[in-house]
Amino acid sequence: MSICAKCPMKGCLKKNPEKMPKKLCPSRDEALQEKAKALHTGDDLTIALQSALVESEGNTNWTRVEETIQFAKKCGFKRIGLAFCTGLHDEAKIFVKILEHHGLEVVSVVCKNGAVLKGFLGIEQAEKETYVKGDIMCNPIGQALLLNEAHTDLNILFGLCVGHDTLFIKHSEAPITVFAVKDRVLCHNPMGAIYQAEGYYKKKLFN
């Protein structure tokens, strides 16, 4: 159990034991930290090292787009999988263009792949000759399987819904980074609700 989100001292940021809570502080759990350090081998060590370099080199200078490109290049990832939401099709097209411009090979797959009707999930659907987008279920497992078959080096989540991202992460064989998440109300900026949690959204979130 940990209470990091409620910690008033943040002693870990300066490695200052005097400012680390005496209880429920993961920095004081030596066994856990030694276990974590021991797992920094092979690909995990490469990812940890290169992401640390991207963090330091790009801090306040690089956008998330630039960070993603540099991270992929530093790790030697060449074939990139893009699992995107159909609602962000135009944005995905631009993102792929940028990635390819920087020499990365991109395999993209939309959430509605397979055109599977929502009736497959047990949701009742009226019989009709043709179906619209809203009748087709999102298929994140299909997205993951396709990218697994393509042997991608790194998969990028691009606007998948809550839960759909969970299934994709569960079934993806390649390591994953998140570029964008779905928030239809806040233009895909879920932090907006956090920033307004004590203001305009207080009644909405704490009702």
Side-chain angles (χ1 to χ4, degrees):
M1 185 175 179
S2 172
I3 57 170
C4 288
K6 297 181 180 180
C7 180
M9 297 181 284
K10 304 177 184 177
C12 58
L13 299 183
K14 294 186 177 180
K15 203 174 178 62
N16 185 348
E18 294 183 1
K19 292 189 176 182
M20 294 177 185
K22 293 183 178 181
K23 294 182 178 181
L24 306 179
C25 177
S27 295
R28 292 185 178 276
D29 189 337
E30 295 182 5
L32 181 145
Q33 297 304 332
E34 288 303 315
K35 183 177 180 180
K37 286 190 283 187
L39 291 173
H40 283 72
T41 60
D43 292 340
D44 290 341
L45 177 60
T46 298
I47 290 174
L49 171 61
Q50 300 308 331
S51 59
L53 293 175
V54 168
E55 178 191 9
S56 60
E57 294 173 22
N59 191 12
T60 73
N61 295 313
W62 293 345
T63 64
R64 183 75 178 205
V65 173
E66 294 167 296
E67 288 183 339
T68 301
I69 293 169
Q70 292 303 319
F71 171 67
K73 287 187 173 183
K74 286 178 180 292
C75 287
F77 297 147
K78 297 180 180 180
R79 177 171 286 190
I80 308 301
L82 185 68
F84 71 96
C85 168
T86 187
L88 295 176
H89 206 132
D90 292 341
E91 294 84 348
K93 183 177 181 179
I94 294 171
F95 191 41
V96 169
K97 183 177 180 180
I98 295 170
L99 294 176
E100 291 179 339
H101 174 78
H102 287 272
L104 298 170
E105 179 185 357
V106 182
V107 181
S108 61
V109 55
V110 70
C111 60
K112 300 295 185 179
N113 73 94
V116 181
L117 293 174
K118 290 181 179 178
F120 170 78
L121 300 173
I123 299 174
E124 292 187 9
Q125 290 181 296
E127 291 288 339
K128 47 188 173 182
E129 294 183 1
T130 59
Y131 291 84
V132 297
K133 182 176 66 176
D135 297 314
I136 306 299
M137 77 175 210
C138 292
N139 186 12
I141 294 179
Q143 288 176 296
L145 294 181
L146 185 145
L147 296 181
N148 290 345
E149 291 182 359
H151 301 292
T152 52
D153 301 315
L154 174 70
N155 290 334
I156 300 174
L157 288 185
F158 198 88
L160 298 194
C161 297
V162 171
H164 297 152
D165 53 4
T166 304
L167 287 171
F168 181 88
I169 291 168
K170 181 178 181 179
H171 291 276
S172 172
E173 294 177 356
I176 299 165
T177 187
V178 179
F179 182 82
V181 298
K182 175 63 61 59
D183 192 322
R184 297 175 180 85
V185 174
L186 296 175
C187 297
H188 313 303
N189 174 30
M191 289 299 293
I194 303 300
Y195 295 138
Q196 292 296 332
E198 297 295 334
Y200 293 115
Y201 272 32
K202 188 170 185 177
K203 290 184 178 180
K204 185 181 182 72
L205 298 175
F206 290 99
N207 186 9

